[in-house]
């Protein structure tokens, strides 16, 4: 079949096996160019391993650090007439490349919250749905329709307490801590074990929907659970890592974040500071994973320093009130955002023959 991108809002319902495989190889090539990481842990587990920062972490650990990895993700398998999820292709392509260098990766595809995947999960059978909303009062924000390029104002209604609690259950730290408690109780954690959980803080432009909303409540829960893990397993055992804004399937769904991203990308590219997932995680592994690493007042490791530098934020803030549908091309980089979004699903990648008839069940 010929697989083409089918985009609905912030979701692409198709993925290309050749494109996903090429994207994996390009990320691996970047990491190899940076050189080895001999101090990297040699056994690494990544929950949420198939896209974005999780995938980048697995690539860096394997191809720079020589680690054996176990990945967990929830994916859709392909059929003869329908493509699989991008993550399904990414997992297969990663395994192929890792095996070429003698690694033996294990990928578990299923619900990381489920009782079957993690026996200590206490709310068996219950489903939580996050709600990305402000708290307390409605919030008016400027946002972007990435399909049409329209910049417009919208008002978001506040979340109720049930929605806020569900968001904490999905995106907070409770399930992270349950994973670690289960592994510790089973006696399978290595001496000097460390665990990381990635978060995003962002600038004042995103705070109304992020840190002052349901997401912020969930992210602060990560800090609390990290402290609980440290109290049990040692001061260096658990860290929350603040990363920069990038294009991911999750971030594309958050109001204001895509518009902020288009401006941020243009500014950071002009200043020579722009990073995608693989560049950001490679810098994390090379510069922030030593013992006694510098942390902020909440004991988080910060790799969002370039994004939040005064020079970058001053220019983003200068452009923000000037943004409109008409000025978007001058002040922001919608083309880069769209390109990075399509790459998540294996589309728009140089060297891939998208006119080729492919079997969606096969990854080369």
């Amino acid at each position: 079949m010929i697989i083409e991108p089918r985009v609905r809002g912030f979701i692409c319902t198709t993925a290309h096996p050749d494109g996903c495989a090429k994207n994996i190889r390009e990320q691996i090539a970047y990491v190899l160019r940076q050189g080895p990481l001999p101090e990297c842990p040699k056994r690494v587990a990544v929950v949420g391993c198939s896209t974005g920062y999780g995938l980048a972490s697995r690539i860096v650990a394997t191809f720079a650090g020589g680690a054996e990895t176990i990945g967990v993700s929830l994916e859709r398998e392909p059929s003869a007439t329908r493509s699989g999820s991008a993550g399904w292709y990414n997992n297969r392509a990663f395994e192929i490349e890792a095996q070429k260098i003698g690694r033996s990766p294990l990928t578990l595809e299923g619900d990381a919250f489920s009782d079957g995947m993690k026996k200590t999960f206490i709310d068996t059978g219950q489903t939580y749905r996050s709600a990305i909303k402000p708290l307390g009062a409605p919030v008016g924000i400027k946002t972007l329709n990435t399909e049409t390029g329209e910049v417009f104002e919208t008002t978001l209604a506040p979340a109720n307490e049930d929605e806020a609690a569900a968001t904490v259950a999905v995106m907070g730290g409770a399930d992270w801590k349950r994973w670690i408690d289960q592994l510790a109780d089973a006696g399978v954690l290595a001496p000097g074990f460390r665990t990381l959980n990635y978060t995003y803080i962002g600038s004042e432009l995103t705070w109304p929907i992020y840190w002052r909303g349901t997401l912020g409540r969930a992210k602060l829960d990560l800090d609390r659970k990290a402290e609980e893990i440290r109290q049990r397993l040692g001061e260096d055992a658990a860290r929350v890592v603040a990363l920069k804004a990038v294009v991911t399937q999750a971030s594309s769904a958050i109001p204001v974040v895509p518009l902020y991203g288009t401006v941020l990308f243009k500014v950071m590219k002009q200043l020579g500071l722009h990073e995608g997932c693989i560049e950001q995680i490679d810098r994390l592994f090379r510069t922030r994973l030593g013992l006694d690493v510098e942390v902020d007042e909440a004991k988080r490791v910060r790799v969002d320093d370039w994004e939040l530098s005064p020079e970058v934020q001053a220019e983003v803030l200068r452009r923000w009130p000037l943004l409109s549908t008409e000025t978007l091309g001058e002040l922001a980089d919608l083309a880069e955002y769209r390109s990075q979004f399509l790459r998540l699903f294996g589309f728009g990648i140089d060297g891939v023959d998208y006119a080729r008839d492919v079997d969606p069940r096969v990854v080369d």
Side-chain angles (χ1 to χ4, degrees):
M1 61 186 292
I2 305 299
I3 303 176
E4 299 178 338
R6 297 178 184 174
V7 179
R8 298 175 184 171
F10 56 83
I11 297 174
C12 185
T13 61
T14 56
H16 200 285
D18 293 351
C20 289
K22 181 74 182 304
N23 191 22
I24 295 295
R25 292 193 293 270
E26 289 182 357
Q27 292 185 63
I28 292 170
Y30 173 84
V31 170
L32 292 175
R33 289 195 298 271
Q34 312 314 305
L37 276 170
E39 301 302 318
C40 179
K42 301 308 178 188
R43 295 179 181 175
V44 176
V46 182
V47 180
C49 67
S50 62
T51 60
Y53 280 133
L55 174 60
S57 298
R58 201 176 188 194
I59 290 172
V60 173
T62 299
F63 292 92
E68 294 287 6
T69 64
I70 300 175
V72 180
S73 63
L74 181 61
E75 305 303 335
R76 184 186 73 243
E77 288 192 45
S79 69
T81 58
R82 181 181 179 182
S83 73
S85 63
W88 193 91
Y89 294 127
N90 289 340
N91 286 342
R92 303 288 88 70
F94 168 84
E95 290 170 346
I96 290 170
E97 298 303 318
Q99 288 165 2
K100 289 179 181 178
I101 63 167
R103 300 283 78 81
S104 301
L106 173 62
T107 304
L108 305 176
E109 288 175 343
D111 185 358
F113 284 90
S114 73
D115 192 48
M117 186 63 75
K118 176 175 40 56
K119 295 184 184 301
T120 58
F121 183 52
I122 61 174
D123 295 317
T124 306
Q126 184 169 357
T127 299
Y128 297 99
R129 296 188 182 277
S130 60
I132 302 170
K133 294 182 177 182
L135 294 171
V139 169
I141 58 171
K142 183 182 292 187
T143 191
L144 170 70
N145 184 319
T146 55
E147 283 190 85
T148 65
E150 178 188 5
V151 178
F152 61 98
E153 299 281 345
T154 189
T155 299
L156 301 176
N160 59 42
E161 281 304 310
D162 287 343
E163 290 174 318
T167 304
V168 172
V170 172
M171 307 185 76
D175 198 61
W176 177 30
K177 184 174 182 297
R178 283 194 287 268
W179 270 100
I180 302 309
D181 284 343
Q182 172 180 317
L183 295 172
D185 292 343
V188 298
L189 295 178
F193 152 84
R194 303 177 72 188
T195 180
L196 307 177
N197 199 311
Y198 299 154
T199 193
Y200 179 68
I201 294 174
S203 80
E204 62 186 75
L205 294 172
T206 61
W207 287 347
I209 187 61
Y210 220 92
W211 278 97
R212 295 178 189 145
T214 55
L215 282 172
R217 184 178 291 187
K219 299 300 184 178
L220 290 173
D221 186 63
L222 289 178
D223 296 329
R224 290 191 290 269
K225 295 304 188 295
E227 183 59 34
E228 292 176 19
I229 295 170
R230 287 193 292 268
Q231 288 176 1
R232 178 180 182 184
L233 298 171
E235 185 59 27
D236 290 309
R239 293 292 178 201
V240 173
V241 179
L243 299 172
K244 74 174 288 287
V246 293
V247 182
T248 66
Q249 294 182 49
S251 68
S252 300
I254 303 173
V256 78
V257 170
L259 180 59
Y260 170 77
T262 62
V263 182
L264 178 71
F265 296 168
K266 186 156 191 171
V267 171
M268 294 190 74
K269 285 168 70 175
Q270 290 173 341
L271 294 174
L273 297 174
H274 183 56
E275 294 174 303
C277 284
I278 196 66
E279 293 86 359
Q280 176 87 156
I281 295 301
D282 188 82
R283 184 158 68 94
L284 165 66
F285 273 60
R286 294 178 190 278
T287 67
R288 301 292 198 277
L289 292 191
L291 297 178
D292 301 318
V293 66
E294 182 180 351
V295 296
D296 66 11
E297 68 283 352
K299 298 185 178 180
R300 305 183 196 104
V301 175
R302 303 299 293 267
V303 199
D304 56 354
D305 48 340
W306 295 357
E307 174 185 346
L308 298 183
S309 66
E311 185 178 19
V312 169
Q313 286 302 309
E315 181 59 18
V316 172
L317 288 169
R318 184 192 71 80
R319 297 184 187 199
W320 191 259
L322 305 176
L323 283 171
S324 67
T325 305
E326 292 71 31
T327 64
L328 191 66
E330 173 190 355
L331 300 174
D333 197 340
L334 179 57
E336 172 71 8
Y337 189 95
R338 285 171 169 167
S339 172
Q340 291 301 314
F341 177 79
L342 287 174
R343 286 179 70 90
L344 294 174
F345 304 93
F347 296 107
I349 297 174
D350 291 342
V352 177
D353 182 3
Y354 291 102
R356 187 173 78 89
D357 193 0
V358 299
D359 186 337
R361 299 165 294 182
V362 176
V363 178
D364 299 321

